[in-house]
Every structure is written in structure tokens, then in C-alpha cells.
Amino acid sequence: MPRVGLFIPCYVDQLYPDVGLATVELLEQCGCDVDFPTAQTCCGQPMANTGCTEAAKPLARRFLEIFRDYEYVVAPSGSCVAMVRNHYHDLVHEHPDFEAVHTKTFELCEFLTDVLKVDGFPGSFPYRVGLHQSCHGLRELRSGKSSELNVPGFNKIGGLLESLDGLQLVSLQRPDECCGFGGTFAVSEEAVSCMMGLDRLHDHEQSGTQVLTAGDMSCLMHLQGLIARQKKPLAVMHVAQILAGRKPQLPA
Amino acid sequence: MTSATAHRDHPETAAEFVANDARAHWHDQSLWFVRARRDKASQTLPEWEELRERASKVKLHTMSRMADYLEQFERNAIALGAQVHWARTPAEHNEIVLGIIQKHNATRVVKSKSMLTEECHLNPFLERNGVVVTDTDLGEWIVQLRNEPPSHIVMPAIHIKKEEIGELFHDLLGTEKGATDPPYLVNAARQKLREQFLNAEIGLTGVNFAIAETGGFVVCTNEGNADLGVSLPKVHIACMGIEKIIPKAADLGYFLRLLGRSATGQPITTYSSHFHGPRPGGELHIILVDNGRSNILASPEFRRSLNCIRCGACMNTCPVYRRSGGHSYSTTVPGPIGSILAPTRDAQEHASLPFACSLCGSCTDVCPVKIDLHNQLLTWRRELALKFLVPFDKRLGMSLAAAVFARPWLYRVGGAIARRVFPWLPRMLVYNRWNPWGRQRELPEMPAQSFRALYARRKRNHKVPSDQKPASR
């Protein structure tokens, strides 16, 4: 029974608790012994991405200490995992726990497909689903083939989703363009960020998306914010919620 | 009197471009069209990824022995009869160019596209010194006529609509009013440029690739204007950044195959003109320009940015560039690569550029010479913070957030209070002009409880045997 330390990004903990619960349920369904160490807060990504490396370092050290004793660390977020796996080196490469922790930290869907070798989930989700390929999961963790590269195609999140009965993945005009969230970018470059988000939504609307999903709640928070303001008829769910059998709240 | 224009940061200039929604979308779609053509063209080569890998390796190797290769190039170019000049700064470069022009008592120069001369602000310098300089690349000429810098390194006039070009040509060339037909306008430009070609005394070009082994160099154009520009005048001046050097003629194939496809989706640029020494009876001057490049070479973090072959693919793919336009970067080379290069020259002036990026990484995956662009932009953010060039409010915000995150109890209590209080706040208190998030977006709905609270309750309900918990050291 793999012992998994659950890494729930701070904003998911505070704002999207059901995404965390869905993650626990999925991992337990797959036979994992899941534990949520409550001392965790934030991995330090917002600080590091803003250039404030010194502010991020103590958080990175805390993270390593909290998670060092687990067999695996799993998070429902490609972006936070990419921070640990690809960028902790710049912050805490000299830490004795760095090497072990950064190699055993996984994004939920890649953990399910690559480590647990899960092919799919039972259950049905009879909706047209638009998968937003969050950039950090896609291009930093390689959760799928990005449209720029000429390598054989694969899609870890899409593969899991398509195992559900009745689920139909829509094809987008621009399959993996950024939604415009980008952390503090969403605020400091508000004009471009919102234009990017609205363009992504337009692509999904044109392609017939009913439920918009992603492996990262942060992208979805930005897109949901635009959807809510514009009252667009799109439901938003994290991929963990769909896989765990939640039903969408579709507009009447 | 000099008019000092206050420098403006990217968010401000970008917001202006975005405010014209129709134009911003038109710009985005034009460039996405080029990106899609690039995808198709690259997919016709099964060896695409291998080409990228080899080109990147050639460049990295070259950088490890840059001085040797430059000296080898100089020796071989001189042996072919060229005169080689070295310039550390734009000012030195411009003086060398002017010196050559004046030595020949010339006043009329035709210039093919060269981002290096843009970087050195050569045109205004020559004009101040009584030289008439004409850009002969059509796009470059259009922006010259409009008295503005190029907005893209491969498609300098991509931000201008054909209606605007029709008006410009009507005013300056006397074309029919309201004419927007591209072949008609191109023909009018061709007539006018032909006069310039015929009257020119000096032909000036850039350099795409300089080959150490042979002392020759290659200039790539789609209009053949570089060849035309150096065919009649006796004097050819070629201006190159020192990073254009490659070791061998055999390496050239990788770059030529990658360049056209990455830039515009063409299999190859229409003209790849090879120059080996001056034409009989003529003079060939090659100016090798540093302008900060050796500083980049000396920095391990940014060295790889010298791989750049100036194809512009990172601009075409960048969702921020496509929507904010090249001029919003206020630098000669805009977009992702420009946002790395510009702060190496003046970190303070260009401090906002590494933040004009959502770190999506598309530029890194599209780059034909494998520059890890988005990682270098992230590294720049760290460097800027070290130089205290990240805005104070951003730094303060991050320090406060880090202080909260370092204290789990404070984070828990703070979160609980925020979730309780927020839903009760009047809308105008939350959505005001100090909340950029809320201008076009709603904030997330606040759940009653955090995940950790729900998880604790769940755990109480189904007890986990304590021996299954991970042992702590």
C-alpha cells in the first residue's frame, strides 16, 4: 500500500476544499494510504515566480521537512508540483532532503498513470468536456504532448478522463494555449490576462464544451471568475472531481 | 529642446493595445496563423527535434570557444579580401559605418533588413550626418516611412493593416486614394525602391550566419533586396552581432532548415545569399559588434540566449506578445527573447519585461535552437528582485504572504476569518479600482470550511490505524 503524503496547494485548501477531498477519495480508491500533514501551507511558488527568492526559501525548506518521510507526495496541481520538481533546485539544492523529496513529488494524474499504472476509472460522465491543458503540467511536467513539439502524442489527463462512460473530450482550435492566469501576472498584467482568458473561453464555447476542466484549480479560478462575471453557460470542475464521480452544476 | 518621454512599463503599454479589442484580436490571429504555418512546416520533417538538438549543440559549442571562432572568421574573411572591423558599442559601430561612407564621399545608402542596425539606432545617426538611408525590406521600409520602429523582428510591419499602408502610400507615393490591394501597393513600392537601388552608392546588409571555417557569410531574405542592394554599389557593409558565428559550412544546413520554418512556415527563406569576399573591384566591410554580448556570454544563466537565430517564433507563439503588440515592449527586439536581452543592457529601464509573461513555456518548446526562454525570464525576475527593481508593493506583498505561510496557525486563522468576512462585505468594498482581479473577474465563492477542516472531520469518522501512518525520523 503506497504511503502518500497529500500536498494540497494553499488556495485549494482555503477555497476549493472539495478538490482536496476528491483527490483523497481517488487515491484511497486506488489503494493508497493517504495522509495530510497539517503543518503544510504553501510551496513558495508565488514568491519564487515574482523573483522574491529569499521569501520562498524558508517555505521550500519547510516543505521538504514536512514531506520527507512519505513514500510519495501527490498534489492535485501541475503548477505546484512543477515548482517542487523543477524549481526547488534553485532554492534549496543543498538541503539534505531535497534530492529525495523533489523526485517523489507527483501531480495527481501523472501519479495515477505513471506510478499506480491506473488505466481508468469506472463510472460515467455523459458530458462534452473541454480540457484546459495547464501550462506548467503540460510543458514542465510533460503531462501530455505540447503542440509545439514534434514527438509522439500522449495525454495523461485526457486518457484518464476518456475512461469514463459517455465522456466526450472536445477538440479546440488552440489545444494548449495559456489561459492567462500566470500567478501574479493575472493581476499585474490584468488587461492581457483577461483577454487571454476570454479567448480561451471563446474557443471552448465554439467547440461545444459543457464542462471545463483542468489539472490546476488556479487556471480554473481565473477562468471561472470570467465565466461568472459574463454569466457564461459553462460548468467548471477540477479533473479530480470528475474522476471521483462528482456531478457538474450545469446551468438550467 | 529635447523632449524627454517618460519610460512606460509593459502593463501600461499593453493595456493600451488591448483596449482596441478588434485590433488586438486581429494581431493575435495574424500571428497565430504564422504559428500554425510553422507547426505544419516543422511536421513535414520527421527529424525536426533532432535538428533542434543539433543546432542547439552547435551553438553551445561555439559559445564555449567564441573568441577562437571569431578570430578564425576574421582571418579567413581577410584572406578572401574583406575588411573586418570590431565594435564594442553601438556608437563605435555607427562611427565605423559613417567612416566608410564618408571615405567614399557617399550620401545614398540602401539597407537590407538588419535588427543589429536597429539595435544600434543606425538610421537616425546616419540621417543626422547627411546620409540618405533607405530600408529596402518592404515591411522595414513601411515602418521607416511611418517613422516608427519595427514591431517584430521578422515581420516588422505586422501591426499595420493594409488600409493604413494604402493611406500611407497615397500620401507619400501618390497611389490611388483608398487603394488597399496588396499587389497594387507592392508594385508601387517596388517602383520607388527600384529608384533607390539604382542610385545607391553603398549597400548595407545584416548577417544571418557567419562561417568561421570559410570566412564567408549568409544573408537570408524573402524579397531578394539584400542581393539587389549590394549588386550595383561597389561597397558592401555587413553588420553582424558576434553571436552570428557558426564553426563550419556543414553546420549551416541545420540553421537554414530551422530558420525559415520557424519564422514563417516556409521550407527555407526565398534567398539565402552567400558572400565570400568583395566583388571584383569592390569593397566588403564586415563589422563585428559586441554591444553587451560578451557580458551575456559570461553569465551562465543567460548564455543560452545567444543561441538565438532571430526567427521570431517565440514572438509568434507568445500569447502576451500576440495580444500586446511588439511596440508595447519598448525595445528593439520584443517578445520573449527581447525580454531576456533588453534587461542585460539596462535592467532598470526594462524591469517590467520579464514579468510580461505568464511563464507558459510555449516559447521554450517552439524555439528551434532550444533556448530555455521561460526559465531565463524567471531567472531575470530573481535578478531584478536582487537589484531591488521589483516594485515595492509586490515585494512587500510577497514578504507578508511568506510570513503568513511560515506560521501555519496564522494561515489557518487568517483563512478562516477571510472566508467568514468576505461574503458579508459590500460589493463596492471588494470590487473597486484597487482590485485589478475584480475588474473583469469575480472572486471565487468562499466555502464554509477549508479542506483541512473537512479532512479532519473525515478522518475522525473513519479512524486510520496509527501503525499505517508514516514514521517520522
Side-chain angles (χ1 to χ4, degrees), chain A residues 221-244:
Chain A
M221 175 169 73
H222 160 71
L223 292 170
Q224 168 78 71
L226 291 163
I227 290 170
R229 180 65 62 87
Q230 305 240 337
K231 303 191 168 51
K232 286 181 185 289
L234 283 169
V236 171
M237 293 171 83
H238 189 277
V239 66
Q241 293 172 300
I242 295 182
L243 295 176

PDB file of all heavy atoms in Angstrom, chain A residues 221-244:
ATOM      1  N   MET A 221      -9.700  28.969 -11.531  1.00  0.00           N
ATOM      2  CA  MET A 221     -10.174  30.091 -10.703  1.00  0.00           C
ATOM      3  C   MET A 221     -10.281  31.352 -11.561  1.00  0.00           C
ATOM      4  O   MET A 221     -11.264  32.094 -11.495  1.00  0.00           O
ATOM      5  CB  MET A 221      -9.198  30.317  -9.550  1.00  0.00           C
ATOM      6  CG  MET A 221      -9.496  31.526  -8.689  1.00  0.00           C
ATOM      7  SD  MET A 221      -8.489  31.522  -7.184  1.00  0.00           S
ATOM      8  CE  MET A 221      -6.880  31.940  -7.851  1.00  0.00           C
ATOM      9  N   HIS A 222      -9.254  31.560 -12.400  1.00  0.00           N
ATOM     10  CA  HIS A 222      -9.240  32.712 -13.299  1.00  0.00           C
ATOM     11  C   HIS A 222     -10.356  32.599 -14.341  1.00  0.00           C
ATOM     12  O   HIS A 222     -11.141  33.534 -14.543  1.00  0.00           O
ATOM     13  CB  HIS A 222      -7.843  32.765 -13.931  1.00  0.00           C
ATOM     14  CG  HIS A 222      -7.690  33.524 -15.191  1.00  0.00           C
ATOM     15  ND1 HIS A 222      -7.764  34.900 -15.247  1.00  0.00           N
ATOM     16  CD2 HIS A 222      -7.426  33.105 -16.457  1.00  0.00           C
ATOM     17  CE1 HIS A 222      -7.551  35.286 -16.494  1.00  0.00           C
ATOM     18  NE2 HIS A 222      -7.358  34.232 -17.245  1.00  0.00           N
ATOM     19  N   LEU A 223     -10.466  31.425 -14.957  1.00  0.00           N
ATOM     20  CA  LEU A 223     -11.489  31.249 -15.994  1.00  0.00           C
ATOM     21  C   LEU A 223     -12.896  31.308 -15.394  1.00  0.00           C
ATOM     22  O   LEU A 223     -13.800  31.924 -15.956  1.00  0.00           O
ATOM     23  CB  LEU A 223     -11.266  29.915 -16.723  1.00  0.00           C
ATOM     24  CG  LEU A 223      -9.982  29.863 -17.578  1.00  0.00           C
ATOM     25  CD1 LEU A 223      -9.716  28.443 -18.069  1.00  0.00           C
ATOM     26  CD2 LEU A 223     -10.068  30.825 -18.759  1.00  0.00           C
ATOM     27  N   GLN A 224     -13.062  30.686 -14.212  1.00  0.00           N
ATOM     28  CA  GLN A 224     -14.365  30.719 -13.535  1.00  0.00           C
ATOM     29  C   GLN A 224     -14.754  32.158 -13.186  1.00  0.00           C
ATOM     30  O   GLN A 224     -15.923  32.532 -13.281  1.00  0.00           O
ATOM     31  CB  GLN A 224     -14.300  29.864 -12.265  1.00  0.00           C
ATOM     32  CG  GLN A 224     -15.468  30.032 -11.314  1.00  0.00           C
ATOM     33  CD  GLN A 224     -16.705  29.275 -11.765  1.00  0.00           C
ATOM     34  OE1 GLN A 224     -16.732  28.050 -11.709  1.00  0.00           O
ATOM     35  NE2 GLN A 224     -17.707  29.986 -12.217  1.00  0.00           N
ATOM     36  N   GLY A 225     -13.759  32.954 -12.808  1.00  0.00           N
ATOM     37  CA  GLY A 225     -14.028  34.355 -12.491  1.00  0.00           C
ATOM     38  C   GLY A 225     -14.584  35.106 -13.693  1.00  0.00           C
ATOM     39  O   GLY A 225     -15.514  35.922 -13.570  1.00  0.00           O
ATOM     40  N   LEU A 226     -14.036  34.804 -14.866  1.00  0.00           N
ATOM     41  CA  LEU A 226     -14.528  35.441 -16.098  1.00  0.00           C
ATOM     42  C   LEU A 226     -15.904  34.903 -16.469  1.00  0.00           C
ATOM     43  O   LEU A 226     -16.803  35.656 -16.865  1.00  0.00           O
ATOM     44  CB  LEU A 226     -13.546  35.188 -17.247  1.00  0.00           C
ATOM     45  CG  LEU A 226     -12.186  35.890 -17.141  1.00  0.00           C
ATOM     46  CD1 LEU A 226     -11.173  35.241 -18.082  1.00  0.00           C
ATOM     47  CD2 LEU A 226     -12.310  37.383 -17.449  1.00  0.00           C
ATOM     48  N   ILE A 227     -16.078  33.577 -16.307  1.00  0.00           N
ATOM     49  CA  ILE A 227     -17.366  32.949 -16.623  1.00  0.00           C
ATOM     50  C   ILE A 227     -18.465  33.552 -15.756  1.00  0.00           C
ATOM     51  O   ILE A 227     -19.542  33.918 -16.238  1.00  0.00           O
ATOM     52  CB  ILE A 227     -17.292  31.417 -16.397  1.00  0.00           C
ATOM     53  CG1 ILE A 227     -16.406  30.769 -17.455  1.00  0.00           C
ATOM     54  CG2 ILE A 227     -18.680  30.790 -16.400  1.00  0.00           C
ATOM     55  CD1 ILE A 227     -16.080  29.306 -17.191  1.00  0.00           C
ATOM     56  N   ALA A 228     -18.171  33.679 -14.452  1.00  0.00           N
ATOM     57  CA  ALA A 228     -19.181  34.188 -13.520  1.00  0.00           C
ATOM     58  C   ALA A 228     -19.534  35.631 -13.862  1.00  0.00           C
ATOM     59  O   ALA A 228     -20.712  36.012 -13.852  1.00  0.00           O
ATOM     60  CB  ALA A 228     -18.663  34.089 -12.091  1.00  0.00           C
ATOM     61  N   ARG A 229     -18.526  36.447 -14.171  1.00  0.00           N
ATOM     62  CA  ARG A 229     -18.816  37.849 -14.489  1.00  0.00           C
ATOM     63  C   ARG A 229     -19.658  37.957 -15.771  1.00  0.00           C
ATOM     64  O   ARG A 229     -20.571  38.748 -15.866  1.00  0.00           O
ATOM     65  CB  ARG A 229     -17.507  38.631 -14.637  1.00  0.00           C
ATOM     66  CG  ARG A 229     -17.664  40.098 -14.978  1.00  0.00           C
ATOM     67  CD  ARG A 229     -18.352  40.902 -13.889  1.00  0.00           C
ATOM     68  NE  ARG A 229     -17.656  40.945 -12.620  1.00  0.00           N
ATOM     69  CZ  ARG A 229     -16.715  41.837 -12.308  1.00  0.00           C
ATOM     70  NH1 ARG A 229     -16.361  42.760 -13.183  1.00  0.00           N
ATOM     71  NH2 ARG A 229     -16.148  41.802 -11.127  1.00  0.00           N
ATOM     72  N   GLN A 230     -19.311  37.106 -16.758  1.00  0.00           N
ATOM     73  CA  GLN A 230     -20.005  37.182 -18.052  1.00  0.00           C
ATOM     74  C   GLN A 230     -21.236  36.284 -18.091  1.00  0.00           C
ATOM     75  O   GLN A 230     -21.893  36.204 -19.128  1.00  0.00           O
ATOM     76  CB  GLN A 230     -19.050  36.769 -19.160  1.00  0.00           C
ATOM     77  CG  GLN A 230     -17.769  37.561 -19.174  1.00  0.00           C
ATOM     78  CD  GLN A 230     -17.556  38.296 -20.465  1.00  0.00           C
ATOM     79  OE1 GLN A 230     -18.089  37.930 -21.498  1.00  0.00           O
ATOM     80  NE2 GLN A 230     -16.802  39.374 -20.408  1.00  0.00           N
ATOM     81  N   LYS A 231     -21.502  35.575 -16.991  1.00  0.00           N
ATOM     82  CA  LYS A 231     -22.647  34.652 -16.915  1.00  0.00           C
ATOM     83  C   LYS A 231     -22.683  33.698 -18.108  1.00  0.00           C
ATOM     84  O   LYS A 231     -23.704  33.547 -18.784  1.00  0.00           O
ATOM     85  CB  LYS A 231     -23.950  35.429 -16.791  1.00  0.00           C
ATOM     86  CG  LYS A 231     -23.960  36.362 -15.588  1.00  0.00           C
ATOM     87  CD  LYS A 231     -25.338  36.931 -15.322  1.00  0.00           C
ATOM     88  CE  LYS A 231     -25.450  37.614 -13.978  1.00  0.00           C
ATOM     89  NZ  LYS A 231     -24.417  38.618 -13.674  1.00  0.00           N
ATOM     90  N   LYS A 232     -21.570  33.073 -18.372  1.00  0.00           N
ATOM     91  CA  LYS A 232     -21.491  32.128 -19.491  1.00  0.00           C
ATOM     92  C   LYS A 232     -21.981  30.759 -19.029  1.00  0.00           C
ATOM     93  O   LYS A 232     -21.774  30.366 -17.885  1.00  0.00           O
ATOM     94  CB  LYS A 232     -20.042  32.001 -19.987  1.00  0.00           C
ATOM     95  CG  LYS A 232     -19.556  33.210 -20.785  1.00  0.00           C
ATOM     96  CD  LYS A 232     -18.135  32.997 -21.255  1.00  0.00           C
ATOM     97  CE  LYS A 232     -17.568  34.224 -21.953  1.00  0.00           C
ATOM     98  NZ  LYS A 232     -18.154  34.475 -23.279  1.00  0.00           N
ATOM     99  N   PRO A 233     -22.621  30.002 -19.940  1.00  0.00           N
ATOM    100  CA  PRO A 233     -23.199  28.705 -19.544  1.00  0.00           C
ATOM    101  C   PRO A 233     -22.159  27.584 -19.539  1.00  0.00           C
ATOM    102  O   PRO A 233     -22.277  26.611 -20.258  1.00  0.00           O
ATOM    103  CB  PRO A 233     -24.255  28.462 -20.619  1.00  0.00           C
ATOM    104  CG  PRO A 233     -23.702  29.149 -21.828  1.00  0.00           C
ATOM    105  CD  PRO A 233     -22.888  30.316 -21.342  1.00  0.00           C
ATOM    106  N   LEU A 234     -21.116  27.723 -18.733  1.00  0.00           N
ATOM    107  CA  LEU A 234     -20.073  26.695 -18.675  1.00  0.00           C
ATOM    108  C   LEU A 234     -19.896  26.266 -17.224  1.00  0.00           C
ATOM    109  O   LEU A 234     -19.798  27.117 -16.343  1.00  0.00           O
ATOM    110  CB  LEU A 234     -18.737  27.268 -19.161  1.00  0.00           C
ATOM    111  CG  LEU A 234     -18.494  27.445 -20.656  1.00  0.00           C
ATOM    112  CD1 LEU A 234     -17.233  28.263 -20.883  1.00  0.00           C
ATOM    113  CD2 LEU A 234     -18.367  26.086 -21.328  1.00  0.00           C
ATOM    114  N   ALA A 235     -19.867  24.954 -16.995  1.00  0.00           N
ATOM    115  CA  ALA A 235     -19.571  24.465 -15.647  1.00  0.00           C
ATOM    116  C   ALA A 235     -18.067  24.263 -15.536  1.00  0.00           C
ATOM    117  O   ALA A 235     -17.401  23.947 -16.524  1.00  0.00           O
ATOM    118  CB  ALA A 235     -20.300  23.156 -15.400  1.00  0.00           C
ATOM    119  N   VAL A 236     -17.535  24.465 -14.347  1.00  0.00           N
ATOM    120  CA  VAL A 236     -16.093  24.322 -14.135  1.00  0.00           C
ATOM    121  C   VAL A 236     -15.841  23.291 -13.051  1.00  0.00           C
ATOM    122  O   VAL A 236     -16.432  23.357 -11.971  1.00  0.00           O
ATOM    123  CB  VAL A 236     -15.483  25.688 -13.728  1.00  0.00           C
ATOM    124  CG1 VAL A 236     -14.048  25.520 -13.281  1.00  0.00           C
ATOM    125  CG2 VAL A 236     -15.565  26.678 -14.884  1.00  0.00           C
ATOM    126  N   MET A 237     -15.010  22.311 -13.351  1.00  0.00           N
ATOM    127  CA  MET A 237     -14.665  21.281 -12.359  1.00  0.00           C
ATOM    128  C   MET A 237     -13.192  20.920 -12.481  1.00  0.00           C
ATOM    129  O   MET A 237     -12.659  20.858 -13.589  1.00  0.00           O
ATOM    130  CB  MET A 237     -15.491  20.001 -12.590  1.00  0.00           C
ATOM    131  CG  MET A 237     -16.966  20.142 -12.334  1.00  0.00           C
ATOM    132  SD  MET A 237     -17.858  18.665 -12.874  1.00  0.00           S
ATOM    133  CE  MET A 237     -17.625  17.596 -11.447  1.00  0.00           C
ATOM    134  N   HIS A 238     -12.561  20.639 -11.343  1.00  0.00           N
ATOM    135  CA  HIS A 238     -11.202  20.100 -11.378  1.00  0.00           C
ATOM    136  C   HIS A 238     -11.283  18.651 -11.854  1.00  0.00           C
ATOM    137  O   HIS A 238     -12.272  17.964 -11.596  1.00  0.00           O
ATOM    138  CB  HIS A 238     -10.580  20.164  -9.980  1.00  0.00           C
ATOM    139  CG  HIS A 238      -9.118  19.830  -9.966  1.00  0.00           C
ATOM    140  ND1 HIS A 238      -8.662  18.539  -9.930  1.00  0.00           N
ATOM    141  CD2 HIS A 238      -8.021  20.625 -10.000  1.00  0.00           C
ATOM    142  CE1 HIS A 238      -7.327  18.546  -9.931  1.00  0.00           C
ATOM    143  NE2 HIS A 238      -6.917  19.805  -9.969  1.00  0.00           N
ATOM    144  N   VAL A 239     -10.253  18.194 -12.531  1.00  0.00           N
ATOM    145  CA  VAL A 239     -10.265  16.841 -13.079  1.00  0.00           C
ATOM    146  C   VAL A 239     -10.468  15.788 -11.975  1.00  0.00           C
ATOM    147  O   VAL A 239     -11.135  14.760 -12.192  1.00  0.00           O
ATOM    148  CB  VAL A 239      -8.978  16.589 -13.914  1.00  0.00           C
ATOM    149  CG1 VAL A 239      -7.742  16.597 -13.043  1.00  0.00           C
ATOM    150  CG2 VAL A 239      -9.079  15.323 -14.711  1.00  0.00           C
ATOM    151  N   ALA A 240      -9.958  16.053 -10.774  1.00  0.00           N
ATOM    152  CA  ALA A 240     -10.136  15.101  -9.668  1.00  0.00           C
ATOM    153  C   ALA A 240     -11.616  14.947  -9.331  1.00  0.00           C
ATOM    154  O   ALA A 240     -12.073  13.848  -8.990  1.00  0.00           O
ATOM    155  CB  ALA A 240      -9.363  15.569  -8.436  1.00  0.00           C
ATOM    156  N   GLN A 241     -12.347  16.040  -9.412  1.00  0.00           N
ATOM    157  CA  GLN A 241     -13.783  15.973  -9.083  1.00  0.00           C
ATOM    158  C   GLN A 241     -14.531  15.123 -10.113  1.00  0.00           C
ATOM    159  O   GLN A 241     -15.421  14.354  -9.764  1.00  0.00           O
ATOM    160  CB  GLN A 241     -14.371  17.387  -9.037  1.00  0.00           C
ATOM    161  CG  GLN A 241     -13.814  18.223  -7.878  1.00  0.00           C
ATOM    162  CD  GLN A 241     -14.259  19.666  -7.953  1.00  0.00           C
ATOM    163  OE1 GLN A 241     -13.970  20.365  -8.923  1.00  0.00           O
ATOM    164  NE2 GLN A 241     -14.977  20.119  -6.941  1.00  0.00           N
ATOM    165  N   ILE A 242     -14.173  15.272 -11.381  1.00  0.00           N
ATOM    166  CA  ILE A 242     -14.830  14.476 -12.421  1.00  0.00           C
ATOM    167  C   ILE A 242     -14.500  12.993 -12.218  1.00  0.00           C
ATOM    168  O   ILE A 242     -15.387  12.142 -12.208  1.00  0.00           O
ATOM    169  CB  ILE A 242     -14.389  14.935 -13.827  1.00  0.00           C
ATOM    170  CG1 ILE A 242     -14.860  16.375 -14.076  1.00  0.00           C
ATOM    171  CG2 ILE A 242     -14.942  13.993 -14.900  1.00  0.00           C
ATOM    172  CD1 ILE A 242     -14.526  16.920 -15.452  1.00  0.00           C
ATOM    173  N   LEU A 243     -13.223  12.698 -12.012  1.00  0.00           N
ATOM    174  CA  LEU A 243     -12.818  11.298 -11.859  1.00  0.00           C
ATOM    175  C   LEU A 243     -13.418  10.673 -10.608  1.00  0.00           C
ATOM    176  O   LEU A 243     -13.702   9.479 -10.568  1.00  0.00           O
ATOM    177  CB  LEU A 243     -11.286  11.187 -11.823  1.00  0.00           C
ATOM    178  CG  LEU A 243     -10.547  11.582 -13.103  1.00  0.00           C
ATOM    179  CD1 LEU A 243      -9.038  11.522 -12.881  1.00  0.00           C
ATOM    180  CD2 LEU A 243     -10.942  10.697 -14.285  1.00  0.00           C
ATOM    181  N   ALA A 244     -13.630  11.484  -9.560  1.00  0.00           N
ATOM    182  CA  ALA A 244     -14.176  10.954  -8.303  1.00  0.00           C
ATOM    183  C   ALA A 244     -15.702  10.834  -8.343  1.00  0.00           C
ATOM    184  O   ALA A 244     -16.317  10.469  -7.349  1.00  0.00           O
ATOM    185  CB  ALA A 244     -13.735  11.839  -7.145  1.00  0.00           C
TER     186      ALA A 244
END
